[in-house]
Amino acid sequence: AAGFERFLKARPGKKPFAFWFGSSDPHRGYQKGSGRKAGKTLSQAEVPPFLPDTPEIRDDLLDYAFEIERFDRDCGKMLELLEATGELEETIIIVTSDNGMPFPYAKANCTEFGIHMPLAISWAGKVPGARKVFDLVDLLDVTATIYACAGVNPPHSHPLAGRSLLAMLRSKKQGWIEPERDAVFS
């Protein structure tokens, strides 16, 4: 979040910008016991069915949760900075991860825990919020969406593989919006 604050202060005026916040949270290695030090208890850990339910695994899951919460706090600080500059409603915010959870049978595996990632997109004042959409999308769609939101045609020399999510974002519906989005391939 400090890097984003420096970025906002250094840019000339309030020109349009793109900022990529790539956090190393919640990538390994974790500080062992950080979840419990933050007040979490082993009984709070949700152990996926493919992992052994042992105190060591529960402790590791708590450390992972602590890392996610730190990422969430950084995102919250950046949103506060945008609000303080009056730019929150003009900014497209896309939050996602790059892979599944870093545990066996998850990250680097074509399983639900390996490829199902969080994706939240907000563009206050431009698209309705507080909705859950279940359409299957791919990170390839994010580039096409950014082009569409900016009103810019992608270069002919590099055709886009993804499809814009803008119509889905502008919809007031929730649930399944575009029935043709019924598969992703990994």
Side-chain angles (χ1 to χ4, degrees):
F4 183 58
E5 185 172 19
R6 286 191 302 273
F7 170 82
L8 287 176
K9 287 179 180 175
R11 74 185 163 126
K14 291 198 178 213
K15 291 187 174 186
F17 66 89
F19 184 88
W20 185 285
F21 170 60
S23 174
S24 61
D25 297 331
H27 291 78
R28 293 203 179 265
Y30 310 141
Q31 181 181 7
K32 188 169 174 49
S34 58
R36 283 187 290 131
K37 285 180 191 169
K40 299 181 182 313
T41 63
L42 291 180
S43 64
Q44 292 174 309
E46 293 182 32
V47 181
F50 54 84
L51 292 175
D53 190 347
T54 66
E56 293 81 10
I57 297 294
R58 286 182 169 273
D59 199 40
D60 199 25
L61 287 164
L62 293 179
D63 296 347
Y64 175 57
F66 175 77
E67 295 282 327
I68 292 170
E69 290 170 358
R70 187 168 53 202
F71 171 81
D72 289 349
R73 282 191 301 275
D74 283 342
C75 288
K77 289 175 188 174
M78 289 185 278
L79 292 174
E80 289 170 2
L81 289 167
L82 284 171
E83 190 169 34
T85 64
E87 296 177 274
L88 183 59
E89 291 196 10
E90 298 299 319
T91 305
I92 301 165
I93 298 166
I94 302 169
V95 179
T96 189
S97 70
D98 60 349
N99 47 250
M101 60 190 285
F103 286 82
Y105 197 69
K107 182 177 179 177
N109 287 273
C110 286
T111 64
E112 188 67 11
F113 280 84
I115 63 171
H116 189 164
M117 297 174 284
L119 174 64
I121 301 175
S122 172
W123 195 8
K126 306 280 188 191
V127 299
R131 299 178 301 135
K132 288 184 180 180
V133 176
F134 301 110
D135 294 45
L136 300 178
V137 301
D138 193 294
L139 286 179
L140 292 170
D141 298 330
V142 172
T143 302
T145 304
I146 292 169
Y147 274 110
C149 290
V152 174
N153 291 322
H156 293 292
S157 58
H158 296 88
L160 298 178
R163 295 184 355 224
S164 172
L165 304 172
L166 187 55
M168 185 187 313
L169 293 173
R170 286 189 171 148
S171 172
K172 292 182 180 174
K173 297 177 187 176
Q174 58 180 356
W176 203 281
I177 297 173
E178 297 178 6
E180 65 275 11
R181 290 185 182 272
D182 61 353
V184 291
F185 300 93
S186 297

